[in-house]
Amino acid sequence: MTGKLGEEIAQHQPFPTLEEEAALNILRTADAYDRHVSSILKPWRLTPTQYNALRILRGADERGHTCSAISKRMLTRDPDVTRLIDRLEARHLVARTRDPDDRRAVMIRLTDEGRALVDQLDAPIETMHLAQLSHLGPDKLRELITLLEASREKVPG
């Protein structure tokens, strides 16, 4: 007996393999989480990808990061981090400066307004994570983390 995904998506045939069912469950769960975080960020006119970039920049030193460094740290791939930063800069949440050590490099850092916004979002995002996952308890959460990390090891790219 397998899980509930077939019912959720009104699939009447069994999945061809357990691997396919597991992979589709990962996608379904990621989409549910993405929709939930999107609903929390909507009043602040942020997307999950923009929020992720702001969090990355909050963790940077005072110089900030280049677009390339931000891209490498993103949870989800964004093919155009430059445009993402353009939108955040237009809202005065980030600022660009030339790296004094390498004038070719453009550094992006949080503005005070950007830091205040991402700090303000800590509590609602933490509450969301607790609502989504605290019922699993620490042992199952550690197991889930281990399983998800192990599954990503075999994903190319």
Side-chain angles (χ1 to χ4, degrees):
M1 184 71 189
T2 56
K4 300 175 187 177
L5 181 62
E7 279 181 37
E8 291 176 14
I9 64 173
Q11 179 167 321
H12 303 293
Q13 301 295 320
F15 292 98
T17 64
L18 279 173
E19 290 81 1
E20 182 176 324
E21 184 175 2
L24 293 175
N25 264 288
I26 291 169
L27 292 173
R28 179 83 169 182
T29 303
D31 179 65
Y33 286 168
D34 188 61
R35 283 184 283 114
H36 193 179
V37 75
S38 292
S39 71
I40 289 171
L41 297 173
K42 189 175 183 176
W44 286 274
R45 298 177 306 131
L46 285 177
T47 66
T49 306
Q50 291 170 330
Y51 173 68
N52 185 209
L54 293 174
R55 289 193 61 211
I56 289 166
L57 289 168
R58 180 174 60 180
D61 63 23
E62 65 278 350
R63 289 178 13 154
H65 284 307
T66 62
C67 279
S68 175
I70 293 168
S71 182
K72 289 177 186 173
R73 290 170 169 81
M74 296 293 285
L75 293 173
T76 56
R77 299 227 191 244
D78 188 321
D80 198 349
V81 172
T82 302
R83 283 205 183 128
L84 172 76
I85 297 304
D86 287 345
R87 289 189 291 275
L88 295 172
E89 186 177 37
R91 292 186 55 195
H92 307 288
L93 301 175
V94 302
R96 289 180 166 105
T97 57
R98 290 272 173 203
D99 184 341
D101 299 327
D102 180 358
R103 298 283 301 149
R104 295 169 297 169
V106 175
M107 304 302 292
I108 297 111
R109 60 173 180 73
L110 277 183
T111 62
D112 291 342
E113 188 177 345
R115 182 170 306 279
L117 176 58
V118 76
D119 287 349
Q120 182 182 4
L121 289 165
D122 284 344
I125 295 295
E126 182 179 337
T127 299
M128 176 197 69
H129 290 311
L130 289 170
Q132 291 170 337
L133 295 165
S134 65
H135 67 284
L136 295 177
D139 293 338
K140 285 184 179 178
L141 284 171
R142 285 186 198 93
E143 182 180 3
L144 176 61
I145 291 165
T146 299
L147 291 170
L148 290 169
E149 289 172 348
S151 73
R152 279 197 311 277
E153 287 176 8
K154 297 295 183 180
V155 178

